[in-house]
Amino acid sequence: QTWTHHPHHHQPRILISTISITRLHIMRRRLGLFHLFFASLLVCLISAQQYKTYDIEVASLDWSDSNVGFILDPTRGAFRTINSGYDWTLLSNTSNVRMSRVIMDNVQRKSLMLFGSGGQRWASNDAGATLQYFSGNNFAVDVNTIRPHPRTSRLWLGMADCNTATSTCETIATSQNMFASSTYNKVSYSRLRRVEWGPQGDILYLTAEGEYGYMRSNISSGGDLSPVPIFPRNVFGLQITDRYIVIGYVSGTKAEIYVTNLNFHPSGVIAEFYFEASFPFGQDLPNLGYATLDSDPSLSLFLGHSSSASRDNGWGNMYMSDDDGIEFTLSMEHINLQFYYVDWMRILDGVHIANNVTNYDQYSSRKDLRSYITWDNGGRWSTLTPPEKDINGKPITCTGSCGLHLHGVTAYIGGLSTYAYATDSVVGIVMGVGNVGETLQNDISLCNTYMSRDAGQTWKQVMQGGSTYEFANYGAILVMASTSGQTAFILYSLDEGETLHTFQFTDHSMAIQNVMSSPGGKAVLIVGEDTSGSNKLVTVDFSSLLTYECSDNDYEDWFTPQCILGAKTKYLRRKISSKCYNFVHLERIESRQPCPCTYDDWECDVAYETTNFPNGTFICTVTGIVPPDPPEHCPPGKPYYVSKGYRKIAGDLCQGGLNFDAIKKTCPIASSTSASFTMTSSASSSSSSTSGGDVNPPSGGGGGGGSGAVIAVVIILIVVFIIVGVVVVYKVDSVRSRVMGVIDRIRAAGSRNGRHTGDYSHSFNLLADDDTDDGGGAL
C-alpha cells in the first residue's frame, strides 16, 4: 500500500510499477507457476515501498545531513524526514503556519532555527528531533540578515531595528546560543546595510550608508564589537571568499571595485591592503552591477555592460584576474544576463560553460545565444562539440556554424529546473537541455536532453525533449523527468547514463517542475502539479536496486580528457558496472600531473592585446603604457621582472614547453666611485671652510674625534629605529615586497588608463558589490 497524504484523510492504494511487471515475467520463467503466487506477492510488497505521494508545496528544501531534511510549505507548515526524503512528517507545532526560512549552523548542522509568520520561531539543537517555541514579541533581528558563524556551532550574528523603506538597520546582534531568545548582544550603529563574518570568523565586515561606508571589527570571545571605519564612502555591497574580499563604490553613474587578497595577510599582520581593480578599459566602471563568478584559482568578475533600463534582460563581460586578484583581462564578451542571473556554469576547476549573446547590439525581445566551453579558466573558448547521432541512432546533420547549445541558469526563471548542471559529487558528468544548431532554441519543448561523461568534451543525446534531472547518492543514481506536459513516468540510470530504465512513479499524470535529492540519499523527490493544479510531492526509493555498499574494488581512476590549467588530473569515480551505493562523499581528486606549457596556458598581460591565429597560436601586442623599467619602487639589489607581454593563467601548473616567463632583472646599485667622490668633495669643502686651507687639524686634543663619534652613534640609532619600524609595519618582508610590487603595477595601470594612482593613501579603502547573497552566478 502507498498512502496519499491529505489534510484530513488517508486513502490506501495498491500500485504495481512497470519495472516490477518486467521482473514478474522474468520470475515466471524461472520459478514456474507453483511459485507465481509468492512472486506476485513479493513484487506487490516491493512496489508498495518504492514511492509515496504527498500533498506538499515545496517552497524550500534544506538538508542537515544525508538523512535529515526539512521542507517548508507556505501554508501547511514545516515537514521533516529522517530517511533521506522518502517519508515526511509534519512538525505538529508548525501546522498551518506560513513558514519562511530554515537557518542551520555551518559546523555540525544540528543546531537550527525555523522561522514563521508573525515573528514566530522554533529552535532545535538536535536537528529538529525536539523543538523549542518562541513567540515573535522579543526577537527584533531581521531573519534575512542572520549569518551563522563559519567555524563555531550555535554562534550567529545579524542586524536588528531595520527599516524596510531604506533597507538599513540600526543594530548589530550576536548570540552565543543558537536557540536562546534573550542572550544576544546588540551594538548600535547607524544605517547599516550588511554585516558578514570574515573567512575565519574572528573579524566582522560591515557596510553602511553615508560617511561610514565600509568597516571592520574584531570580535571578542564575549561577542563585543568595536567597528572601525575603513572606507568613508558610499558602498553598494560586499563579497567575501576564502581568498578575496571584493567591494564596490558608487559615485553618480560611475563605480569602482576594490579587492584585497587575503594571502597578503599572514598571521599577526593587522593591515589589509585594498587595491583598485584594473581593467583593460580603465578603472571607472559603468554603474550597472557586477558579480563574483568564481574565486579559485583566480578571481572571475562579471561586469554588466548593457543599459540600466535593460538590466533584467541584458548582457555583460567576464574578466579574469591575475594571482593577486588585482589586474583583470577580458575573458568573454556579451555573456547573457537575465533577471540578475548570469548564464555561466562551473564544471571542474578551470572548466566552465557560458552563453554568449550574438545579437547583443540589435535584439529587442529575442536573444540569439551560443554556448561555449573553456578548458583553461577563461583563456580560450570554443563551441560545444555536438553528438554525431540522436537517441535513435540517426545521424545529426547541421550546416553553417554548428554546435551544441545548452540552457543556462536563466532557464530556471520560468519555474523549470532545466539548466545545465554539474556537481563535484559526480565528477566529470554534465547534464543539459538544448539543441544542435547555430543558436539556442528559446522554447524548451523544441529542445532535447544531453549528457557528457568527460567534463563536456563529448556529448550524447539521452532523452527526447526537455527534462529536469538529479543525481542521488553521490552519483550512483541518475533520474530524469520530462518537463513537456503531463507524465507519470521518469527515467533512471544506475550506470551514469549508459543504460536508461523507465519507471511509473504515480497512477495520475503530473506536470513536473523539479527533481531533487539529499546529497547521499537513495530517495528522489519529484515536485509538480497534478491535472487539477494541486501541488504534489512524490518520493521514490531506489535502495532496493543498490544492493551493497561500495568497496575499493568498485571505484576506478578517471583522467580529465585533456590538460586543464596545465595539468592532467586524476579523479576517483565509481565504476559504471557496479550496482553499489556510496556510503560517504569521497575526496575525488587523487593527483595532478603537470603538462608541458602550450599557448593554452598563457594569456596576454595587462596593457597588451591578443591577436589570434587559426592554428591556435596568438601574439600579444602593446596597446597601453607598460610599467617603467626599472619600476618606480626598486630597492637597490632587489630583483624585479619585465613582462614579455604574456602571463601564465592564474592557477596554471604547466612546466617546461612554451616559455613566456617575464625577464628577471636587478634593481641598480649606486656605484662606489660616485660615493667616494661625493665624500671626498664634502671633506675638502668642510676642510676649506673650517681651517682656511690649513690641512692640519686644530690643536687642543680630540674634540673633532669625539664629535664624530657622537654623530656616528646618532646615525646608528636612527638606522636601528628605521629597521625596527619597517619590521613592525610590514612584519614579513615577502608581504612588503609583494604589496609594493602590486602598487608598482597598478601605478602603471593608472598611468595607461589616464588615471592618477600615485597617491596610495586610499589603497586601504574598500568598495563593495551588490547586496544580494545568491553567490555563484547571481548579480
Side-chain angles (χ1 to χ4, degrees):
Q1 288 181 334
T2 54
W3 295 84
T4 302
H5 291 260
H6 296 278
H8 306 293
H9 68 278
H10 305 285
Q11 178 182 359
R13 292 179 297 171
I14 300 294
L15 299 170
I16 301 179
S17 67
T18 303
I19 189 171
S20 299
I21 293 175
T22 302
R23 288 179 177 168
L24 184 61
H25 290 303
I26 295 175
M27 291 180 183
R28 178 185 296 149
R29 289 195 298 267
R30 292 182 178 178
L31 301 179
L33 295 177
F34 180 76
H35 298 99
L36 180 59
F37 170 76
F38 299 100
S40 301
L41 178 61
L42 177 63
V43 169
C44 289
L45 292 175
I46 293 175
S47 65
Q49 296 300 317
Q50 283 183 323
Y51 67 92
K52 294 182 178 180
T53 303
Y54 300 88
D55 292 328
I56 298 178
E57 180 181 356
V58 182
S60 67
L61 173 63
D62 298 274
W63 295 99
S64 176
D65 54 36
S66 291
N67 294 315
V68 180
F70 299 87
I71 286 178
L72 298 188
D73 186 306
T75 58
R76 295 191 58 198
F79 292 81
R80 180 174 181 261
T81 180
I82 58 174
N83 60 355
S84 302
Y86 184 54
D87 294 296
W88 291 92
T89 303
L90 176 66
L91 299 176
S92 58
N93 48 4
T94 69
S95 179
N96 299 320
V97 176
R98 179 175 290 274
M99 305 301 296
S100 60
R101 193 176 180 190
V102 177
I103 298 178
M104 302 182 189
D105 73 78
N106 288 323
V107 185
Q108 298 179 342
R109 297 187 67 80
K110 300 296 183 183
S111 297
L112 58 90
M113 290 187 290
L114 297 166
F115 293 90
S117 58
Q120 298 179 86
R121 66 192 189 283
W122 295 261
S124 174
N125 200 33
D126 53 13
T130 58
L131 291 176
Q132 184 177 2
Y133 173 75
F134 300 96
S135 65
N137 298 329
N138 58 348
F139 192 77
V141 179
D142 186 338
V143 174
N144 295 319
T145 69
I146 293 178
R147 301 289 187 268
H149 194 277
R151 297 179 181 271
T152 302
S153 181
R154 300 169 62 186
L155 175 62
W156 56 265
L157 66 86
M159 294 190 292
D161 305 321
C162 299
N163 187 328
T164 56
T166 61
S167 298
T168 60
C169 303
E170 302 294 327
T171 303
I172 303 171
T174 63
S175 174
Q176 297 286 337
N177 194 337
M178 190 77 170
F179 55 82
S181 60
S182 59
T183 60
Y184 59 90
N185 302 320
K186 299 198 297 184
V187 177
S188 295
Y189 218 87
S190 62
R191 302 190 303 280
L192 290 168
R193 283 181 172 171
R194 191 165 178 178
V195 57
E196 297 288 350
W197 296 106
Q200 304 301 319
D202 55 345
I203 297 176
L204 300 185
Y205 295 92
L206 310 92
T207 63
E209 277 188 355
E211 67 276 14
Y212 295 110
Y214 172 79
M215 298 165 284
R216 59 168 288 171
S217 172
N218 294 329
I219 180 169
S220 68
S221 59
D224 295 329
L225 306 178
S226 54
V228 177
I230 297 178
F231 189 26
R233 298 194 193 182
N234 185 34
V235 301
F236 63 95
L238 168 68
Q239 281 184 336
I240 301 173
T241 71
D242 289 338
R243 188 174 179 184
Y244 301 100
I245 298 177
V246 185
I247 55 174
Y249 157 68
V250 175
S251 177
T253 60
K254 296 296 182 181
E256 299 168 5
I257 293 177
Y258 285 72
V259 180
T260 184
N261 188 328
L262 296 177
N263 291 343
F264 281 176
H265 315 144
S267 177
V269 176
I270 298 176
E272 292 174 0
F273 303 92
Y274 292 92
F275 298 98
E276 187 171 2
S278 176
F279 298 91
F281 54 83
Q283 290 169 304
D284 283 328
L285 314 178
N287 182 17
L288 297 175
Y290 73 90
T292 300
L293 299 181
D294 200 6
S295 61
D296 188 18
S298 64
L299 191 58
S300 305
L301 287 182
F302 174 90
L303 301 182
H305 282 275
S306 54
S307 66
S308 58
S310 60
R311 186 184 295 184
D312 288 350
N313 186 27
W315 54 269
N317 296 347
M318 177 179 171
Y319 298 86
M320 305 296 297
S321 78
D322 57 359
D323 281 322
D324 297 323
I326 309 298
E327 297 179 348
F328 289 82
T329 57
L330 178 64
S331 174
M332 177 184 277
E333 293 182 294
H334 314 133
I335 297 180
N336 186 38
L337 168 68
Q338 191 84 11
F339 294 103
Y340 294 87
Y341 284 88
V342 182
D343 264 350
W344 176 93
M345 183 192 69
R346 175 188 175 277
I347 299 176
L348 296 173
D349 287 343
V351 184
H352 313 292
I353 292 177
N355 281 343
N356 176 268
V357 184
T358 61
N359 60 337
Y360 66 92
D361 57 345
Q362 58 186 6
Y363 73 87
S364 56
S365 59
R366 171 187 166 83
K367 296 178 184 176
D368 292 333
L369 304 180
R370 289 179 59 84
S371 297
Y372 292 87
I373 188 170
T374 178
W375 297 87
D376 55 6
N377 206 38
R380 305 283 178 279
W381 294 85
S382 59
T383 55
L384 276 63
T385 303
E388 297 180 355
K389 298 179 181 180
D390 64 15
I391 193 172
N392 298 317
K394 297 181 180 179
I396 297 177
T397 58
C398 183
T399 59
S401 181
C402 183
L404 174 64
H405 310 291
L406 303 176
H407 282 275
V409 68
T410 56
Y412 187 70
I413 297 169
L416 301 177
S417 299
T418 56
Y419 51 88
Y421 177 59
T423 173
D424 288 338
S425 64
V426 194
V427 62
I429 307 297
V430 191
M431 299 290 297
V433 172
N435 61 278
V436 175
E438 293 192 3
T439 59
L440 179 64
Q441 290 280 359
N442 287 350
D443 189 347
I444 297 291
S445 65
L446 300 178
C447 297
N448 297 310
T449 303
Y450 299 89
M451 179 180 183
S452 172
R453 297 190 69 252
D454 52 14
Q457 185 172 42
T458 60
W459 297 82
K460 69 175 182 178
Q461 183 182 333
V462 293
M463 184 175 177
Q464 284 186 326
S467 68
T468 179
Y469 23 76
E470 179 63 293
F471 298 104
N473 190 236
Y474 305 118
I477 306 165
L478 165 64
V479 175
M480 296 183 293
S482 173
T483 56
S484 301
Q486 303 276 331
T487 183
F489 297 90
I490 58 173
L491 293 177
Y492 74 92
S493 174
L494 304 180
D495 52 13
E496 297 180 348
E498 286 296 299
T499 56
L500 295 172
H501 309 276
T502 301
F503 177 72
Q504 181 178 348
F505 68 92
T506 179
D507 57 346
H508 297 290
S509 295
M510 287 175 48
I512 300 177
Q513 299 169 343
N514 205 346
V515 178
M516 300 178 289
S517 74
S518 73
K522 290 172 281 186
V524 172
L525 284 64
I526 303 171
V527 180
E529 296 179 351
D530 62 16
T531 54
S532 65
S534 299
N535 295 295
K536 296 293 180 182
L537 169 66
V538 180
T539 61
V540 182
D541 184 13
F542 287 90
S543 58
S544 63
L545 303 182
L546 301 173
T547 56
Y548 64 96
E549 181 182 336
C550 296
S551 64
D552 292 342
N553 294 330
D554 292 300
Y555 295 96
E556 62 183 358
D557 293 330
W558 176 78
F559 294 86
T560 53
Q562 56 181 279
C563 294
I564 300 174
L565 288 176
K568 277 270 192 179
T569 306
K570 182 173 70 172
Y571 293 88
L572 193 65
R573 197 157 79 174
R574 197 193 69 151
K575 296 177 181 178
I576 62 175
S577 60
S578 296
K579 300 300 184 290
C580 59
Y581 62 87
N582 297 295
F583 182 69
V584 294
H585 177 35
L586 299 173
E587 179 59 44
R588 298 288 183 166
I589 299 179
E590 290 193 312
S591 65
R592 285 190 170 99
Q593 182 65 38
C595 303
C597 297
T598 67
Y599 278 95
D600 290 337
D601 302 295
W602 300 90
E603 63 185 356
C604 287
D605 208 344
V606 175
Y608 291 83
E609 189 175 81
T610 305
T611 302
N612 293 304
F613 297 103
N615 61 356
T617 64
F618 64 94
I619 59 173
C620 299
T621 54
V622 177
T623 57
I625 300 175
V626 298
D629 182 13
E632 184 176 336
H633 175 80
C634 199
K638 292 290 185 179
Y640 70 97
Y641 297 87
V642 177
S643 175
K644 295 179 182 178
Y646 302 80
R647 72 182 187 190
K648 189 173 287 187
I649 294 172
D652 197 287
L653 301 178
C654 73
Q655 298 177 2
L658 189 65
N659 184 10
F660 287 132
D661 284 334
I663 302 171
K664 183 178 181 180
K665 294 187 176 183
T666 304
C667 293
I669 302 175
S671 66
S672 59
T673 302
S674 174
S676 175
F677 174 81
T678 303
M679 293 174 65
T680 303
S681 175
S682 299
S684 299
S685 175
S686 176
S687 174
S688 174
S689 62
T690 302
S691 58
D694 186 358
V695 297
N696 295 319
S699 60
S707 176
V710 172
I711 294 174
V713 170
V714 172
I715 292 175
I716 290 173
L717 290 174
I718 292 174
V719 170
V720 169
F721 278 120
I722 291 175
I723 293 174
V724 171
V726 169
V727 171
V728 170
V729 172
Y730 293 107
K731 186 67 181 271
V732 181
D733 183 66
S734 62
V735 175
R736 177 182 181 276
S737 299
R738 189 173 182 188
V739 171
M740 295 310 297
V742 172
I743 289 177
D744 287 328
R745 293 202 306 274
I746 299 179
R747 278 176 176 156
S751 299
R752 64 174 171 266
N753 293 328
R755 181 189 185 89
H756 174 66
T757 54
D759 179 10
Y760 269 81
S761 61
H762 67 284
S763 295
F764 295 80
N765 298 336
L766 296 163
L767 281 182
D769 67 29
D770 87 294
D771 290 328
T772 60
D773 190 30
D774 299 307
L779 186 68

